[in-house]
Amino acid sequence: MKPFDFQRANTVPEALDLLGPGGAFLAGGTNLVDHLRAGIREVSGLVDVSRLDLTDITETAGGGLRVGALVSNSDMAAHPLIRQRYPVLAEAILAGASGQIRNMATTGGNLLQRTRCVYFYDPATPCNKREPGSGCSAIHGFGKYNALFGASEHCVTVHPSDMCVALAVLDAVVVAQSREGERRIPFADFHRLPGDTPQLDTTLRPGELITAVELPAVPVAAHSTYRKARERASYAFALVSVAAALHLEGGVVREVRLACGGVAHKPWRAAVAEAELT
């Protein structure tokens, strides 16, 4: 790990001012610190945002919920309103990582998880996501976690988050703050397919800090669940996963929502299957 500057922020404006070129925000650090240690990423500085006032889950005027970016995965999964109104989200979070990691991992950080492709983590092999233009070793290599949908000739890796699959089926909104003001990003537009720039995982702009995730009040959310196929019962990433939600009125199916994990560079909404099932 190469030396870098470390600063701690107490407010969102202070965090934005402290972030310099080549720097990064640090919250739980469950993914970023691994990358720094492995030499996958280098930063000029880290701005610790763990003390910011972004740890609450509050109700919105429309009956939804606003989840602060620093709410831990454990706290979100255990929150009574999350469990009652958005069971798919609580189940997805509990299906991910281990208890110790969920205690540290944050809502905002979970959105920014990077791939677990073995070639991305091996600096001795070519990887366009780690080093653009070097090639994709996974295309002709170990392919158990390769994408089924939306891949390109430059990258065939998949997004690792369980929580994000649930957020995709719920049509969540990511709230980001920069020096220019606040921006609201529909969840479907937050993560990117690889195309010819696989090094870019999201549409988050340089200098933006995720401050919250908003969950809309949708009838389909109350009847939802998450299923994950993996190699072992704990601490394993999805071979494939599905978030499913169903809205019934008088015994008639009015809406079906499906999102898949472990199959693409981003959480994948199965729109055609939704329409057919409805």
Side-chain angles (χ1 to χ4, degrees):
M1 184 186 297
K2 294 190 176 181
F4 52 80
D5 294 328
F6 179 86
Q7 300 180 84
R8 176 170 286 136
N10 294 302
T11 66
V12 170
E14 183 182 6
L16 296 172
D17 288 339
L18 288 175
L19 186 70
F25 295 117
L26 175 70
T30 57
N31 197 204
L32 175 59
V33 172
D34 284 346
H35 293 167
L36 295 175
R37 287 174 172 168
I40 296 170
R41 183 174 180 182
E42 296 179 3
V43 295
S44 60
L46 288 179
V47 178
D48 182 359
V49 296
S50 62
R51 295 187 178 183
L52 303 188
D53 186 19
L54 301 173
T55 58
D56 294 327
I57 298 177
T58 56
E59 295 191 72
T60 61
L65 295 177
R66 181 182 174 97
V67 181
L70 293 178
V71 173
S72 73
N73 286 182
S74 292
D75 286 346
M76 179 152 64
H79 196 280
L81 292 180
I82 296 288
R83 293 167 63 90
Q84 175 187 353
R85 300 182 188 177
Y86 308 95
V88 64
L89 182 55
E91 292 177 15
I93 293 171
L94 292 175
S98 64
Q100 294 94 327
I101 291 177
R102 290 195 297 270
N103 288 341
M104 289 296 297
T106 62
T107 300
N110 196 305
L111 302 181
L112 300 176
Q113 282 191 83
R114 306 206 72 191
T115 181
R116 265 44 181 202
C117 176
V118 294
Y119 301 104
F120 175 74
Y121 274 86
D122 183 1
T125 62
C127 173
N128 285 323
K129 182 174 284 294
R130 179 172 23 84
E131 186 179 348
S134 62
C136 177
S137 299
I139 290 178
H140 300 294
F142 182 75
K144 182 166 54 176
Y145 291 102
N146 287 1
L148 301 178
F149 311 118
S152 75
E153 62 180 333
H154 302 286
C155 183
V156 296
T157 191
V158 299
H159 192 267
S161 170
D162 292 290
M163 185 188 84
C164 287
V165 181
L167 293 177
V169 86
L170 296 172
D171 286 339
V173 174
V174 179
V175 183
Q177 186 76 29
S178 70
R179 294 176 183 176
E180 286 70 43
E182 184 179 275
R183 188 164 69 103
R184 300 169 59 81
I185 311 167
F187 200 78
D189 300 330
F190 183 75
H191 293 101
R192 300 177 65 262
L193 292 178
D196 57 3
T197 54
Q199 72 275 17
L200 302 177
D201 294 324
T202 73
T203 58
L204 203 65
R205 297 168 183 166
E208 283 187 321
L209 172 67
I210 297 172
T211 55
V213 172
E214 292 187 350
L215 306 174
V218 287
V220 73
H223 300 281
S224 58
T225 190
Y226 186 75
R227 293 292 182 267
K228 178 179 179 178
R230 49 187 165 179
E231 291 188 319
R232 57 184 185 273
S234 65
Y235 201 9
F237 296 97
L239 295 171
V240 65
S241 64
V242 178
L246 183 72
H247 178 48
L248 294 169
E249 285 183 356
V252 178
V253 176
R254 298 299 184 189
E255 184 179 13
V256 175
R257 294 190 184 184
L258 297 170
C260 299
V263 298
H265 200 255
K266 61 184 290 184
W268 192 267
R269 277 290 290 271
V272 174
E274 290 177 344
E276 290 292 331
L277 289 170
T278 301

